[in-house]
Amino acid sequence: MRSPERQPLEGRTIAITGAAGGIGAPVARMLRERGARIIGIDRAECGQCDASIVTDLSDDASLAALARRLADDTPDILVNIAGIMRFGLHESQPVEALALCYHINLTVPAVLAQAVAGPMRRRGSGQIVNIGSVLGAIPYPWFAAYSSSKAGLAALSQGLRREFLGTGVTVTHINPRAARTPFNNAQVNRFLDITGMKADEPEWVARRIVEAIVARRETVNIGAMERLYAALNAVSPRLIDNGLASQIRRARAEFC
């Protein structure tokens, strides 16, 4: 009698921040379907998870408590999905909103990665997955804080990957495009429409994230044109300036 086929993540424990969100929930479900035990970390219970840690990542004390918990009981894989979007002219952003954007998008992943890094290194295995954004590789106007926080997450991921070389610990950094989830408010959706930016379905994005986790890939940029534009932006930002000029004119007419 043929034994059942083993799932790729069978026996693994995965902790996911933002697990109740528009991308986090399908990622949790798909990873669970592949045999993992899922611990969801969010402000609400995660229906797709085996267990939930309900906490407020914006609160320093709560974040510190979560970090201690993950350090003491370290998962096989940590997936940082939780994020905050800021849209609008940078000059119009409240200081408190900017601070929250950087805190959730960059400080939280850095603190949680720090918590699990030592235990993962000592046992010689583990994976830290950071979900960035194509806007971190191609910084967009009206998204200055969000873009820069996600660019910082890319640098954090690369620095950690190099620290972990040869240890058995993998760092995976994934840059999705926009997705049609409640993460986007009405203004963001309007910006996507008038600029012609593509927004993917959450299930499709989640599947790409899960595939990258299972394959233990290091860097994934979703979208062929986005990969090209990110490479061009790295070597010749002025080309991207020129390419975005018509989009910026349309956006200014709408939002300024």
Side-chain angles (χ1 to χ4, degrees):
M1 181 176 177
R2 187 175 180 179
S3 60
E5 185 176 349
R6 184 178 174 85
Q7 292 294 326
L9 297 174
E10 189 173 335
R12 305 284 184 87
T13 297
I14 303 178
I16 306 174
T17 69
I23 297 295
V27 167
R29 186 191 75 244
M30 291 177 192
L31 289 172
R32 196 180 187 198
E33 289 169 351
R34 285 158 176 78
R37 175 178 178 270
I38 306 300
I39 301 171
I41 302 167
D42 212 315
R43 291 178 297 178
E45 294 279 341
C46 173
Q48 303 293 340
C49 303
D50 298 284
S52 291
I53 300 174
V54 178
T55 190
D56 182 359
L57 294 174
S58 68
D59 179 72
D60 289 340
S62 298
L63 176 59
L66 175 62
R68 289 193 297 270
R69 182 169 178 172
L70 293 180
D72 292 340
D73 188 12
T74 303
D76 297 288
I77 302 172
L78 168 67
V79 184
N80 288 305
I81 297 180
I84 283 183
M85 173 78 77
R86 292 304 306 172
F87 175 82
L89 288 174
H90 192 67
E91 66 202 56
S92 69
Q93 302 297 314
V95 172
E96 296 80 6
L98 293 176
L100 183 61
C101 180
Y102 289 112
H103 178 81
I104 297 295
N105 294 350
L106 183 53
T107 301
V108 167
V111 169
L112 299 184
Q114 181 188 50
V116 303
M120 286 183 176
R121 182 192 299 277
R122 286 191 290 273
R123 73 187 180 202
S125 66
Q127 186 176 11
I128 298 170
V129 182
N130 292 326
I131 307 303
S133 168
V134 69
L135 297 185
I138 313 167
Y140 251 72
W142 286 273
F143 293 93
Y146 181 74
S147 289
S148 54
S149 66
K150 290 299 187 177
L153 186 62
L156 172 69
S157 302
Q158 192 170 94
L160 289 174
R161 179 177 61 78
R162 290 168 177 161
E163 286 187 10
F164 284 124
L165 286 175
T167 67
V169 180
T170 300
V171 177
T172 298
H173 177 241
I174 304 168
N175 283 331
R177 298 180 293 208
R180 294 201 177 275
T181 72
F183 188 68
N184 303 330
N185 62 24
Q187 281 192 316
V188 171
N189 286 328
R190 177 61 179 155
F191 183 90
L192 296 176
D193 290 339
I194 67 175
T195 58
M197 291 178 66
K198 182 175 178 58
D200 297 313
E201 292 301 319
E203 290 282 323
W204 185 84
V205 176
R207 192 172 302 110
R208 295 294 302 273
I209 290 172
V210 170
E211 289 169 355
I213 292 171
V214 171
R216 296 175 69 86
R217 293 184 62 184
E218 293 179 348
T219 304
V220 178
N221 293 299
I222 297 177
M225 292 304 297
E226 286 76 9
R227 288 193 293 272
L228 173 60
Y229 293 154
L232 286 173
N233 189 70
V235 298
S236 183
R238 183 63 67 181
L239 284 176
I240 301 301
D241 291 351
N242 294 336
L244 294 179
S246 62
Q247 291 184 347
I248 292 171
R249 285 194 297 270
R250 292 196 297 272
R252 279 181 178 154
E254 181 85 12
F255 299 110
C256 291

